[in-house]
Amino acid sequence: MTLSLSCRSGAALKPLALAAAILSCSFGSAVAQTVQEQSLVPVVVTAARVEQPQTDALPHTTVISAEDIRNSQAPDLPALLERQAGIQITRVGGPGQQASLFMRGANTSETLILIDGVPIRRQASYGLPALENILPEQIDHIEIVRGNVSAIYGSGAIGGVVQIFTKRGSGAPALNASVEAGSRGTYQGNVGVSGKSGDTRYALALTRFKTDGFSAQNPQQSPNVNPDRNGDGNTSVSGSVSQEWSKGNEIGARVYANDAKYTFDDAYGTPTDQNRGHSKSQSFAVYSKNNFTQNWTSTLTLSQNVNRDNLDDLTQFGNSSNGYKSTQNLLQWANELRLSPMWTVTAGVDAGREKAEVESNSSYGNSSNSYSRSTSSVYAGALGKIGPHQLQLNLRHDDVGGSGSDNTGYLGYGYALTDSVKLIANASTAFNAPTPVQLYDPLYGNTNLKAERSKSYELGVQYAAGATLLRATLFDTRTRDQFGYDPVTFHTINIARAKNQGLELSASATLAEIDWRASLTLQNPKDESTDKTLVRRAKTLGSFGAAKSFGAWRIGTDVQYTDSRTDIPGNPQLAPYWLTNANVRYQLTKQTSVYGRVENLFNRDYQTAYGYNQPSRGLFVGVNWQQ
């Protein structure tokens, strides 16, 4: 089976034609899948806070496995995610520059990012996590849940949830190491150790990444920027240790941290400016997981997440610096009670304290502001099956200091037409509170800002047989008082009513000894008060990937398509683009492999935000050793 996609740069393939191409590739031979070709179905926990096969998840859920991460050779988290259905990544420059994630057209602050169950939103900014600083070498696997699951995870989950699981030790102690080098003076080194000794598990990974980069902003579009390169250096570490002191009872600790230093461009400066940024993130958690009875599992987690961002603008008008620090302390108590082999009940309580600190120093004066608030939540859920019927019900109450409180709900239903085909429907509501900075910051804040509230409805069908998994979802999300930005006053504002309706397709299969992956999103994210498309959201997103192993070789490619988008008012529309990457790996010995990849294979010139450059063709090679 072969698939050929050939398009000129910037040409927009008709949505129906693109859908037909993807479905014909993914579905054409799926029904011929045999029992011998079946592989283990991944187990997920994010869709309902309960372990279940991925094919049982009622929200549209996908998994990026450890093998997927290794084979992708993706340089950072945004590069891993942008290949997935419903996800669009916008970058203001290259590595180290801010990356935003739009899932199903939702704002970046409306998609919740978790690391091992702990949210990592930066309350000192707009709730945007530093996605660009999370490196794949620290990640074991990722679960992506699309759509409104605020009733399961609380404020910030209107668009969905991306949960990152760091590495955990298992088996005999083992070391691993890798080095990589490539275009634009880029290099990366990683060392790690993991294992299990008796009832003790442990894992530790350390990564150093550095690149000379390229000019983040285009001097032809922003004449005042410095045309020199904007580099990035990132040191990341993750670790975990746990002890099972009796069967089913475990205590442990996890840590994740990154420290990134980068340079950036300022469109309002001069061509000789030197601007530097420093971003640090630290997350620490201790937990106790206990089986109080054979059917009751309780997990108590205490965590702290600290983020620091410092920006130094060195211009002809004088030096200025801005510092942001956010601290989130969170206590989570989660319980899972199995009523029967087919029914599980969940319940829990979250209590937190958030603090945001903003400091500004310039020739015009100094200022310092601090804001804090308490949060609390209580939630419960039920998940089970009755014959061909599957039900999921979740209820939650959130109370956010200074932003009010609300009750949210999720109701999901699945009906198995056959062993392979399932019909799915769900309805849900959401509540998303503004951050303290959005409310009180002297420059950007708006004390009259209201919390977002949303309603979502979905209809879908899933086909699962062996290694083949296809899912199609129609979605409709309406948001009241969505957060927006006023380019004149620079204040955060409420958009009275916004909506997004669309169709989301995802497919993965192994056919003719080739691993196939494809996705297509057709959507219409709108500001209903102006009837205009929401800023920087594409109406059509497509992705296709194929990889084949033969002997010691594995060769793969992926193609991404992003439709035209509007930019902030006053800027021209962003052109559509195709992006093609290719990778190869050769297994020298059982322990050692060499690999390489070409990013932007056809050297396309494209932008995800007006005025900001994206990387040209790049070649990268590396070697990996695994004990």
Side-chain angles (χ1 to χ4, degrees):
M1 178 180 180
T2 61
L3 176 65
S4 176
L5 294 177
S6 178
C7 293
R8 297 179 182 177
S9 175
L13 191 66
K14 296 292 186 182
L16 290 180
L18 184 57
I22 289 176
L23 288 177
S24 64
C25 162
S26 304
F27 190 74
S29 300
V31 294
Q33 201 75 24
T34 65
V35 174
Q36 287 76 19
E37 293 172 315
Q38 290 183 3
S39 60
L40 292 174
V41 176
V43 173
V44 299
V45 298
T46 311
R49 291 184 178 267
V50 173
E51 285 191 359
Q52 59 181 331
Q54 180 187 353
T55 51
D56 279 356
L58 292 179
H60 186 180
T61 304
T62 54
V63 178
I64 305 177
S65 68
E67 184 179 5
D68 294 334
I69 296 172
R70 180 175 183 265
N71 290 333
S72 74
Q73 299 182 33
D76 54 23
L77 178 63
L80 265 177
L81 296 178
E82 65 186 354
R83 311 169 194 203
Q84 302 297 315
I87 293 180
Q88 178 188 343
I89 299 293
T90 295
R91 297 180 186 251
V92 290
Q97 311 295 316
Q98 186 184 69
S100 301
L101 181 154
F102 302 128
M103 186 184 291
R104 288 191 179 174
N107 288 336
T108 302
S109 61
E110 295 173 339
T111 297
L112 188 62
I113 309 296
L114 305 173
I115 295 182
D116 295 319
V118 177
I120 59 167
R121 297 206 313 175
R122 294 184 291 185
Q123 300 300 331
S125 61
Y126 293 96
L128 312 182
L131 302 176
E132 63 277 2
N133 294 330
I134 299 176
L135 303 179
E137 286 72 21
Q138 311 301 316
I139 302 172
D140 180 75
H141 68 282
I142 299 172
E143 294 179 9
I144 303 169
V145 179
R146 297 163 183 81
N148 189 346
V149 288
S150 186
I152 306 174
Y153 288 98
S155 185
I158 293 175
V161 171
V162 176
Q163 179 156 203
I164 299 163
F165 294 87
T166 57
K167 296 176 180 179
R168 190 181 185 207
S170 63
L175 297 170
N176 66 83
S178 64
V179 292
E180 178 184 305
S183 300
R184 296 177 284 276
T186 301
Y187 72 82
Q188 179 171 283
N190 179 73
V191 294
V193 61
S194 63
K196 182 179 180 182
S197 300
D199 294 324
T200 303
R201 295 176 182 265
Y202 54 88
L204 180 66
L206 174 66
T207 303
R208 174 61 180 170
F209 170 87
K210 191 175 187 306
T211 182
D212 294 337
F214 51 89
S215 182
Q217 289 190 259
N218 190 327
Q220 295 179 346
Q221 296 169 324
S222 302
N224 292 329
V225 304
N226 189 332
D228 68 345
R229 292 184 171 189
N230 296 120
D232 175 48
N234 184 334
T235 301
S236 296
V237 62
S238 65
S240 67
V241 61
S242 64
Q243 175 72 33
E244 187 177 46
W245 52 274
S246 67
K247 187 172 180 59
N249 296 280
E250 179 184 69
I251 58 173
R254 297 185 293 261
V255 63
Y256 169 80
N258 62 56
D259 189 329
K261 296 180 180 179
Y262 57 93
T263 62
F264 63 95
D265 286 334
D266 183 352
Y268 302 100
T270 70
T272 59
D273 289 349
Q274 298 290 324
N275 307 305
R276 296 190 296 265
H278 189 185
S279 177
K280 298 176 68 175
S281 178
Q282 302 167 346
S283 180
F284 179 75
V286 293
Y287 68 91
S288 177
K289 185 175 182 179
N290 304 99
N291 285 350
F292 290 132
T293 70
Q294 183 177 356
N295 298 315
W296 177 19
T297 301
S298 176
T299 304
L300 188 66
T301 304
L302 177 63
S303 63
Q304 182 180 73
N305 181 244
V306 181
N307 294 276
R308 296 180 178 88
D309 294 277
N310 291 284
L311 303 176
D312 296 316
D313 296 315
L314 310 180
T315 74
Q316 66 174 353
F317 302 108
N319 300 343
S320 67
S321 64
N322 294 282
Y324 303 87
K325 179 183 177 182
S326 63
T327 304
Q328 177 175 286
N329 298 309
L330 183 63
L331 179 65
Q332 300 167 289
W333 183 35
N335 296 273
E336 179 183 324
L337 181 63
R338 294 197 171 272
L339 302 180
S340 72
M342 303 301 291
W343 283 90
T344 302
V345 171
T346 59
V349 176
D350 295 345
R353 183 72 178 174
E354 301 168 351
K355 184 178 182 181
E357 299 170 76
V358 182
E359 292 185 357
S360 179
N361 303 303
S362 71
S363 56
Y364 300 102
N366 302 331
S367 65
S368 177
N369 299 281
S370 177
Y371 323 101
S372 62
R373 67 184 182 189
S374 297
T375 64
S376 61
S377 308
V378 58
Y379 61 87
L383 177 71
K385 294 181 179 179
I386 303 175
H389 306 280
Q390 182 180 352
L391 294 171
Q392 180 177 336
L393 173 65
N394 297 91
L395 299 172
R396 186 181 180 100
H397 176 80
D398 288 286
D399 191 340
V400 180
S403 297
S405 61
D406 207 352
N407 301 313
T408 52
Y410 175 94
L411 177 62
Y413 171 73
Y415 180 75
L417 286 174
T418 69
D419 289 342
S420 300
V421 179
K422 180 167 63 175
L423 302 179
I424 299 168
N426 66 61
S428 54
T429 59
F431 166 75
N432 187 31
T435 70
V437 170
Q438 286 176 310
L439 288 169
Y440 305 117
D441 184 80
L443 180 59
Y444 303 106
N446 179 358
T447 56
N448 296 318
L449 200 64
K450 301 175 183 177
E452 297 177 317
R453 287 172 170 81
S454 181
K455 294 181 179 180
S456 298
Y457 304 93
E458 295 182 19
L459 291 173
V461 59
Q462 175 180 281
Y463 175 86
T468 300
L469 179 60
L470 313 175
R471 182 140 175 175
T473 304
L474 288 167
F475 61 87
D476 185 331
T477 297
R478 313 275 173 130
T479 303
R480 179 163 45 95
D481 296 321
Q482 186 179 66
F483 301 144
Y485 172 73
D486 187 332
V488 177
T489 65
F490 304 113
H491 290 168
T492 307
I493 60 173
N494 286 120
I495 297 173
R497 294 188 181 278
K499 71 175 181 180
N500 191 19
Q501 298 169 306
L503 169 65
E504 187 177 74
L505 306 173
S506 68
S508 60
T510 300
L511 305 170
E513 299 183 341
I514 299 175
D515 296 328
W516 304 92
R517 174 192 51 78
S519 69
L520 175 65
T521 303
L522 306 174
Q523 60 182 3
N524 190 22
K526 270 189 177 182
D527 178 343
E528 288 193 281
S529 60
T530 62
D531 202 37
K532 293 182 179 180
T533 303
L534 294 174
V535 171
R536 293 178 180 165
R537 271 69 150 193
K539 291 187 176 182
T540 304
L541 298 167
S543 175
F544 167 79
K548 181 175 176 59
S549 298
F550 50 96
W553 292 90
R554 180 180 175 87
I555 297 177
T557 185
D558 67 84
V559 181
Q560 301 166 41
Y561 172 73
T562 302
D563 200 2
S564 59
R565 294 131 287 139
T566 61
D567 202 81
I568 60 175
N571 288 342
Q573 190 172 50
L574 297 163
Y577 64 89
W578 288 89
L579 190 63
T580 304
N581 304 311
N583 60 76
V584 62
R585 181 180 295 274
Y586 180 74
Q587 199 71 34
L588 284 171
T589 67
K590 186 177 181 180
Q591 292 82 24
T592 307
S593 64
V594 293
Y595 61 89
R597 70 180 182 278
V598 181
E599 297 177 356
N600 194 358
L601 179 64
F602 299 112
N603 204 29
R604 301 304 191 199
D605 186 11
Y606 69 102
Q607 292 184 328
T608 61
Y610 180 77
Y612 291 93
N613 293 322
Q614 291 302 302
S616 57
R617 182 190 294 119
L619 174 64
F620 304 86
V621 295
V623 59
N624 176 266
W625 177 80
Q626 175 74 51
Q627 188 176 20

